[in-house]
Amino acid sequence: VYNRDIPSDKRSSLISLNSLFLQGGGALGSIAAGQLALYLSIPAAWRVSGLVLAASAIVYLFIKDVKVENKV
C-alpha cells in the first residue's frame, strides 16, 4: 500500500511513524493486559484483548480508501 499510494520522498517517514505507533500500542496493550490479568484474571484479560481486536478489525473494514493527490 505504501509503495503505491505514498510518494517516495515521504514514504520512509510514514513507515517510521507507523512503526512508532505500532510499537507504542503494543507496549500499552501489554501493560493494560497485564493489569487486567493481575486484578481480574488471565482469561478475562484474553477476553478483553479479543474484544479489542475484533472491534478494531470491524472498524478497519469500514475505513474507506483515502486517495492522496500528489502535490508537486
Side-chain angles (χ1 to χ4, degrees):
V1 173
Y2 286 122
N3 290 330
R4 183 187 66 209
D5 295 334
I6 306 300
S8 61
D9 62 328
K10 293 180 176 47
R11 192 175 307 134
S12 63
S13 296
L14 288 173
I15 290 172
S16 295
L17 187 65
N18 185 26
S19 177
L20 173 71
F21 280 106
L22 181 66
Q23 295 294 322
L28 290 176
S30 295
I31 292 169
Q35 291 301 308
L36 280 172
L38 183 65
Y39 290 109
L40 297 176
S41 67
I42 293 173
W46 277 109
R47 282 188 211 101
V48 170
S49 298
L51 288 172
V52 169
L53 178 64
S56 64
I58 291 169
V59 168
Y60 182 76
L61 288 175
F62 289 103
I63 293 175
K64 295 181 180 180
D65 286 336
V66 177
K67 297 296 179 186
V68 177
E69 296 293 325
N70 288 337
K71 294 181 181 177
V72 179

